[in-house]
Amino acid sequence: MLKNFRLRVLLWVGLLLILLSLILLSWQAEQYYLTGLIALGLGYSIFALIRYVEKTNRDLARFFSAVKYNDFTLNPSPQAKGGSFAELYDGFNAVNQKFLDVRAEKEANHQFLQTLVKHIDIGILCVNSEGEVILMNQALQKLLHKSYLVKFDSLQKIDEKLWDLVKDLANGQRELLKINLQNKLLHLSIQCAEIVMQGEAVRLISFQNIQTELEAQELNAWQKLIRILTHEIMNSVAPISSLSATIQKLLEGKEELKSNNLDKLRKSIAVIERRSEGLLSFTETYRTLTRIPPPHFQEIVVDELFDEVVTLMQPALDKGLITLEKEIRGDKLGFSGDPHLLEQVLINLIKNAIDALEETTEGKIQLKAFSDAENRLCLQVVDNGPGIPADKMEEIFVPFFTTKENGSGIGLSLSRQIVRMHQGSLELQSVEGQGTNVSIWI
């Protein structure tokens, strides 16, 4: 293409030179009429050359203008097919077709995403940097009983608590909120994500009503708790009832109590006393679980927290011949929390690990701390004990459930509750025969 273009331009230039020479010759020969005719030919040739050279520029300008205004119906210079610019125009049309294909694909994706947003049962609200609502799906309209929202702060008119939470929600933050809308109680899980679209910051907020799921989980938790409470109470009440009946029979006898009956009486009363004390202790344990003091937040250095816990637990570790290793990834890892409550959590977890390692030779516990990619802090207590059976994993966090003879069954429940008060989570992983890993994410 470029060769043909150069050749044509050279031919035009050659023709112009010839015409210019002829003009000079005819002028010298005083043939002015012929000079005028040749001059007209020269002018036309110059005009044709300029038009030929600028033809590509005009086509390029039209093509870029069409791209600018999203007009992909333009088919540049079809009459030039087969000429010196055929490859250029073929390229124009190929780019045009590619734009059309991309546009069709983009429209198909847009339609798919619109349908998806329309049909999911999670409410979605999209707000730009000016506080204008640019998207509100049907699920959110149904949830809030509003057909549309123009401004983000319109949420304040719907519910003050909802507005107070949502307006300050940070990127990636997730919160739970219980509100009453249209005389209906809702438990909402609200999460925020911030994205940049075409240079503009946009907040995407999701609203999920988890009322049904919470009710199902709450019912399941209550059933487990009642089953364990019933078991514990019956273990105490049944012998008390039986012994009380025996004592009643002994006392109803008209004859004087014999020495062997007196011994039975004393033993029965002693058993009743012990079982009553056990029942009272169990009730006190329940009160402890429901009366955790609110955390007093302060800056905690992980290394210092670990040292404090290890010092407290060292006698129990030495007694069980268990080694404890610390592993802290990062310099001066720290966070905000209540050191006393979190110390209690780590003590509970280490106690559980020590109990699990009773029958294990070369028992080892690891205390680990690190930050993940999202800058969340993780504290771990890892042991190489026998692990927890799969059928017990579901019950392990239920209050008063325990696999230990003298255990109260509230250690893990209490620990999880304390961690949640710190806006964190407590996760447990265990493989039978390999050990257990308890992670505290804050």
Side-chain angles (χ1 to χ4, degrees):
M1 182 187 76
L2 194 57
K3 272 186 178 181
N4 291 338
F5 178 74
R6 286 174 180 168
L7 181 60
R8 288 196 175 200
V9 170
L10 287 172
L11 289 173
W12 277 109
V13 171
L15 179 61
L16 291 175
L17 290 173
I18 292 170
L19 290 172
L20 189 60
S21 300
L22 289 174
I23 287 173
L24 291 173
L25 290 173
S26 62
W27 181 267
Q28 289 175 356
E30 296 182 352
Q31 297 181 4
Y32 301 116
Y33 178 74
L34 182 60
T35 301
L37 289 176
I38 297 171
L40 286 174
L42 178 64
Y44 176 77
S45 297
I46 292 171
F47 171 76
L49 176 60
I50 293 171
R51 184 175 175 80
Y52 176 73
V53 171
E54 289 183 347
K55 183 176 179 55
T56 305
N57 293 339
R58 289 196 302 273
D59 284 340
L60 280 171
R62 283 199 299 271
F63 177 73
F64 291 132
S65 179
V67 171
K68 179 180 178 180
Y69 294 106
N70 294 321
D71 178 14
F72 302 115
T73 58
L74 182 67
N75 188 12
S77 303
Q79 71 275 13
K81 296 289 185 183
S84 62
F85 287 92
E87 291 180 29
L88 177 62
Y89 297 133
D90 284 342
F92 281 169
N93 293 324
V95 171
N96 234 351
Q97 187 59 47
K98 188 65 178 177
F99 271 118
L100 286 171
D101 293 342
V102 169
R103 191 179 190 180
E105 184 180 354
K106 182 181 177 182
E107 184 63 28
N109 288 334
H110 179 68
Q111 292 293 335
F112 171 74
L113 290 174
Q114 272 195 325
T115 305
L116 184 66
V117 169
K118 182 178 177 181
H119 285 86
I120 59 174
D121 59 357
I122 298 175
I124 294 177
L125 185 70
C126 196
V127 185
N128 65 15
S129 56
E130 302 296 323
E132 298 170 344
V133 175
I134 57 178
L135 173 67
M136 180 182 182
N137 70 343
Q138 287 185 352
L140 186 59
Q141 293 171 1
K142 185 178 178 181
L143 186 71
L144 301 180
H145 303 281
K146 286 284 184 182
S147 57
Y148 66 92
L149 292 175
V150 177
K151 290 287 187 177
F152 183 41
D153 56 13
S154 300
L155 287 174
Q156 190 172 7
K157 297 176 182 177
I158 297 173
D159 188 89
E160 195 72 36
K161 285 169 61 180
L162 178 64
W163 169 246
D164 288 341
L165 186 145
V166 172
K167 68 183 175 66
D168 297 323
L169 210 59
N171 183 31
Q173 187 178 356
R174 181 182 178 186
E175 294 290 344
L176 297 178
L177 177 68
K178 183 166 67 174
I179 60 173
N180 195 309
L181 289 179
Q182 301 288 319
N183 297 318
K184 185 178 180 182
L185 183 65
L186 301 177
H187 279 86
L188 300 180
S189 172
I190 305 174
Q191 191 164 5
C192 175
E194 293 182 0
I195 56 176
V196 178
M197 293 174 55
Q198 297 180 338
E200 183 181 19
V202 174
R203 295 183 73 197
L204 187 66
I205 305 169
S206 64
F207 301 77
Q208 185 176 10
N209 185 12
I210 56 173
Q211 179 71 26
T212 304
E213 290 79 2
L214 280 179
E215 286 175 355
Q217 290 295 326
E218 186 179 10
L219 179 61
N220 189 37
W222 274 114
Q223 287 174 341
K224 291 177 181 177
L225 180 58
I226 290 169
R227 186 169 66 247
I228 293 168
L229 286 172
T230 304
H231 175 74
E232 291 294 331
I233 292 170
M234 287 301 296
N235 280 350
S236 295
V237 172
I240 290 174
S241 177
S242 176
L243 290 170
S244 297
T246 301
I247 291 171
Q248 182 68 23
K249 286 180 181 179
L250 290 173
L251 293 176
E252 282 177 355
K254 293 181 181 179
E255 68 279 359
E256 290 185 7
L257 291 173
K258 296 179 182 179
S259 60
N260 61 333
N261 287 339
L262 283 171
D263 289 339
K264 286 181 182 178
L265 191 61
R266 291 190 190 96
K267 288 179 181 178
S268 297
I269 292 172
V271 170
I272 289 174
E273 183 183 12
R274 285 197 301 272
R275 295 310 302 172
S276 298
E277 288 175 351
L279 192 57
L280 187 64
S281 175
F282 176 78
T283 307
E284 189 61 35
T285 301
Y286 178 79
R287 288 178 64 190
T288 301
L289 184 62
T290 57
R291 292 186 178 180
I292 304 173
H296 297 287
F297 289 90
Q298 62 185 73
E299 285 302 310
I300 301 173
V301 178
V302 173
D303 196 24
E304 294 175 3
L305 178 66
F306 279 5
D307 284 342
E308 188 77 20
V309 172
V310 171
T311 301
L312 289 168
M313 298 305 299
Q314 197 61 56
L317 293 166
D318 293 339
K319 184 178 178 181
L321 302 176
I322 298 167
T323 59
L324 188 143
E325 298 176 355
K326 287 195 308 176
E327 181 185 326
I328 300 176
R329 291 179 231 162
D331 297 328
K332 289 292 180 183
L333 278 183
F335 62 102
S336 180
D338 188 316
H340 302 296
L341 289 176
L342 291 171
E343 188 178 280
Q344 185 60 51
V345 170
L346 290 173
I347 288 171
N348 287 341
L349 298 180
I350 293 173
K351 278 184 178 179
N352 287 345
I354 291 172
D355 292 338
L357 293 169
E358 277 184 357
E359 306 298 327
T360 304
T361 57
E362 298 183 1
K364 184 172 73 173
I365 298 173
Q366 293 175 295
L367 270 179
K368 298 182 178 182
F370 59 89
S371 292
D372 67 359
E374 297 177 3
N375 207 29
R376 291 192 309 161
L377 181 69
C378 182
L379 309 178
Q380 289 183 333
V381 178
V382 184
D383 68 64
N384 63 339
I388 301 170
D391 60 334
K392 304 294 184 186
M393 287 289 288
E394 188 180 349
E395 312 279 347
I396 207 72
F397 286 103
V398 177
F400 310 112
F401 174 83
T402 181
T403 57
K404 296 179 282 190
E405 285 187 21
N406 299 317
S408 65
I410 69 163
L412 281 175
S413 304
L414 192 67
S415 298
R416 174 174 272 185
Q417 196 168 336
I418 290 171
V419 172
R420 281 180 176 168
M421 291 168 74
H422 285 76
Q423 304 298 313
S425 62
L426 191 147
E427 300 171 2
L428 187 144
Q429 294 175 306
S430 187
V431 179
E432 242 184 308
Q434 295 184 24
T436 301
N437 180 347
V438 185
S439 300
I440 302 167
W441 289 95
I442 296 178

